[in-house]
Protein backbone atom coordinates (compact mmCIF):
# COMPACT_ATOMS: atom_id res chain seq x y z
CA UNK A 1 0.00 0.00 0.00
CA UNK A 2 2.57 2.52 1.09
CA UNK A 3 5.43 3.81 -1.01
CA UNK A 4 7.38 7.01 -1.39
CA UNK A 5 8.99 8.95 -4.20
CA UNK A 6 12.18 10.59 -2.97
CA UNK A 7 14.32 13.16 -4.80
CA UNK A 8 17.48 14.55 -3.20
CA UNK A 9 19.98 16.66 -5.15
CA UNK A 10 23.08 18.48 -3.91
CA UNK A 11 24.14 21.93 -5.14
CA UNK A 12 26.76 24.06 -3.36
CA UNK A 13 26.56 21.91 -0.22
CA UNK A 14 22.78 22.24 0.10
CA UNK A 15 20.52 19.24 -0.47
CA UNK A 16 17.12 20.05 -1.96
CA UNK A 17 14.69 17.28 -1.08
CA UNK A 18 11.20 16.49 -2.36
CA UNK A 19 9.19 13.54 -1.06
CA UNK A 20 5.77 12.26 -2.06
CA UNK A 21 4.19 9.77 0.33
CA UNK A 22 1.39 7.62 -1.06
CA UNK A 23 -1.21 7.50 1.71
CA UNK A 24 -5.00 7.89 1.86
CA UNK A 25 -4.85 10.28 4.85
CA UNK A 26 -8.34 9.46 6.15
CA UNK A 27 -9.45 12.11 8.69
CA UNK A 28 -11.79 11.36 11.58
CA UNK A 29 -14.64 13.18 9.82
CA UNK A 30 -14.11 11.28 6.54
CA UNK A 31 -13.84 7.99 8.44
CA UNK A 32 -17.17 8.54 10.20
CA UNK A 33 -18.89 9.24 6.86
CA UNK A 34 -17.43 6.07 5.30
CA UNK A 35 -17.84 3.90 8.39
CA UNK A 36 -14.14 3.02 8.63
CA UNK A 37 -11.29 3.79 11.01
CA UNK A 38 -9.40 7.06 10.64
CA UNK A 39 -5.81 6.68 9.48
CA UNK A 40 -3.30 9.40 8.76
CA UNK A 41 0.44 9.99 9.06
CA UNK A 42 1.44 10.96 12.59
CA UNK A 43 5.25 11.13 12.37
CA UNK A 44 7.87 11.73 9.68
CA UNK A 45 11.64 11.79 10.15
CA UNK A 46 14.51 12.16 7.67
CA UNK A 47 18.08 11.16 8.56
CA UNK A 48 21.50 11.10 6.96
CA UNK A 49 23.42 8.53 8.95
CA UNK A 50 22.52 9.27 12.58
CA UNK A 51 21.91 12.99 11.92
CA UNK A 52 18.25 14.07 11.88
CA UNK A 53 17.75 16.58 9.03
CA UNK A 54 13.94 16.88 9.13
CA UNK A 55 11.28 15.89 11.65
CA UNK A 56 7.52 16.46 11.55
CA UNK A 57 4.51 15.44 13.64
CA UNK A 58 1.63 16.22 11.27
CA UNK A 59 -2.05 16.06 12.06
CA UNK A 60 -4.92 14.61 10.08
CA UNK A 61 -5.05 17.72 7.90
CA UNK A 62 -2.25 16.87 5.46
CA UNK A 63 -3.65 16.17 2.01
CA UNK A 64 -3.97 12.73 0.46
CA UNK A 65 -0.55 11.67 -0.95
CA UNK A 66 1.28 14.59 0.70
CA UNK A 67 4.33 16.22 -0.88
CA UNK A 68 7.05 17.57 1.42
CA UNK A 69 9.96 19.82 0.44
CA UNK A 70 12.90 20.75 2.63
CA UNK A 71 16.60 21.68 2.43
CA UNK A 72 19.58 20.79 4.56
CA UNK A 73 23.39 20.84 4.43
CA UNK A 74 24.96 17.65 3.14
CA UNK A 75 27.09 15.96 0.52
CA UNK A 76 26.54 14.10 -2.72
CA UNK A 77 26.70 10.32 -2.27
CA UNK A 78 25.29 10.24 1.27
CA UNK A 79 22.15 8.21 1.90
CA UNK A 80 18.94 9.97 2.95
CA UNK A 81 16.59 7.75 4.96
CA UNK A 82 12.91 8.67 5.34
CA UNK A 83 10.66 7.01 7.90
CA UNK A 84 7.00 7.61 8.59
CA UNK A 85 4.34 6.10 10.85
CA UNK A 86 0.58 6.33 10.73
CA UNK A 87 -2.28 6.01 13.20
CA UNK A 88 -2.77 2.30 12.43
CA UNK A 89 0.82 1.59 13.50
CA UNK A 90 2.21 1.04 10.01
CA UNK A 91 5.88 2.04 9.71
CA UNK A 92 7.58 2.62 6.37
CA UNK A 93 11.31 3.25 5.89
CA UNK A 94 12.88 4.00 2.50
CA UNK A 95 16.21 5.49 1.49
CA UNK A 96 17.75 7.25 -1.48
CA UNK A 97 21.34 8.12 -2.39
CA UNK A 98 21.84 11.89 -2.74
CA UNK A 99 22.75 12.88 -6.30
Amino acid sequence: MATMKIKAKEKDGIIKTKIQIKHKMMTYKQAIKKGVDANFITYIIAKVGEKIVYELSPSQFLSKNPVLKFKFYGNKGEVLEIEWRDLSGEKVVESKKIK
Side-chain angles (χ1 to χ4, degrees):
M1 172 197 146
T3 60
M4 286 184 264
K5 289 182 183 178
I6 304 170
K7 290 183 181 180
K9 292 186 180 181
E10 183 269 343
K11 183 177 180 182
D12 300 327
I14 297 174
I15 312 301
K16 288 186 178 181
T17 307
K18 183 177 179 180
I19 303 162
Q20 181 182 27
I21 301 172
K22 292 185 180 182
H23 197 283
K24 290 183 180 181
M25 299 297 289
M26 182 77 61
T27 68
Y28 289 111
K29 194 172 185 178
Q30 291 169 332
I32 289 168
K33 285 182 183 178
K34 294 185 179 187
V36 296
D37 290 332
N39 190 22
F40 50 87
I41 296 170
T42 58
Y43 183 69
I44 302 168
I45 188 167
K47 294 188 213 175
V48 174
E50 293 297 314
K51 181 182 171 190
I52 296 171
V53 295
Y54 184 77
E55 189 171 22
L56 178 68
S57 295
S59 69
Q60 61 184 320
F61 302 107
L62 274 181
S63 67
K64 179 179 177 180
N65 300 327
V67 175
L68 306 169
K69 294 180 182 180
F70 58 93
K71 297 177 187 178
F72 62 94
Y73 294 105
N75 299 304
K76 190 180 286 192
E78 293 179 318
V79 177
L80 174 66
E81 180 182 276
I82 310 293
E83 175 186 325
W84 62 262
R85 296 180 193 137
D86 66 15
L87 203 57
S88 72
E90 181 177 10
K91 175 182 169 182
V92 175
V93 179
E94 290 188 26
S95 59
K96 179 85 172 195
K97 193 171 189 177
I98 298 169
K99 293 183 180 184

